DNA sequence: TGCACGATGAAC
DNA sequence: TTCATCGTGCAC
């Protein structure tokens, strides 16, 4: 597998989001390598995007989004689930891609259809916040063999508070994949 | 120092 | 449709 380089993440967020589909998320913890195929993502375009956490500005939680690309932004949501993002674009742009669902490839137990379930199954929590995704134990890679797929665009989930930004088609997923979260 | 509210998921 | 559960951001 070919690990994605910094230059992959340092591009327009919507391009990164679309190209993350079909890639392999790899996390090694306690000597166990877990791999999931990314099948659903959402793009958060920067501090001007009212649905993005970075729209609140530079705060303790959002500082990772304002940092350099290719790092993980992991946060606790609703007091019980974690969500994982990939920081994109140049430092200071505060954009990211939320990983919403994966297809189990290796050592992934439990359901993975949704950002909270994905993190639970991949053993991803706040300890990985701000971690470099070019690490040896936490990265995204291009699989040796890639399956062709059709991509679907849809509005993002759970961001109705973001007015017109909630209606933009910034959710991308692999058509027909069984592990895409519904709604 | 207090409090309203989630980029969710599961139960009813 | 309701609820579990708690860190964050902002009001006071």
């Amino acid at each position: 597998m070919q690990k994605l380089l910094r230059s992959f993440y340092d591009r327009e967020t919507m391009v990164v989001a679309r190209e993350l589909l079909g890639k392999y998320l790899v996390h090694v913890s306690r000597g166990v390598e877990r791999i999931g195929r990314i099948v659903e993502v959402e793009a958060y375009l920067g501090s001007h995007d009212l649905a993005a956490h970075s729209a609140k500005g530079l705060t303790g939680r959002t500082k990772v989004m304002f940092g350099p690309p290719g790092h993980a932004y992991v946060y606790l949501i609703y007091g019980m689930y974690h969500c994982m993002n990939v920081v994109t674009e140049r430092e200071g742009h505060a954009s990211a891609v939320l990983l919403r669902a994966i297809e189990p490839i290796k050592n992934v137990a439990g359901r993975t259809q949704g950002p909270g379930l994905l993190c639970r199954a991949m053993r991803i929590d706040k300890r990985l916040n701000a971690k470099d995704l070019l690490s040896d134990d936490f990265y995204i890679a291009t699989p040796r063999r890639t399956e062709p797929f059709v991509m679907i665009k849809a509005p993002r989930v759970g961001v109705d508070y973001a007015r017109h930004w909630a209606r933009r088609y910034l959710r991308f997923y692999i058509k027909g994949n069984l592990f895409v979260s519904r709604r």
Side-chain angles (χ1 to χ4, degrees), chain A residues 46-101:
Chain A
S47 52
H48 58 293
D49 177 353
L50 295 182
H53 289 168
S54 55
K56 290 188 178 301
L58 180 59
T59 67
R61 181 172 67 154
T62 65
K63 65 183 178 189
V64 181
M65 287 187 75
F66 284 85
H71 291 253
Y73 166 44
V74 182
Y75 65 93
L76 182 68
I77 184 69
Y78 296 107
M80 60 189 90
Y81 296 102
H82 291 275
C83 290
M84 175 186 167
N85 298 254
V86 170
V87 177
T88 59
E89 306 203 33
R90 69 184 183 282
E91 186 167 355
H93 193 270
S95 50
V97 176
L98 170 69
L99 305 186
R100 284 196 57 89

Side-chain angles (χ1 to χ4, degrees), chain A residues 129-143:
Chain A
N129 186 41
K131 190 174 174 76
D132 192 345
L133 283 168
L134 274 71
S135 304
D136 288 336
D137 56 352
F138 195 37
Y139 60 94
I140 299 173
T142 302

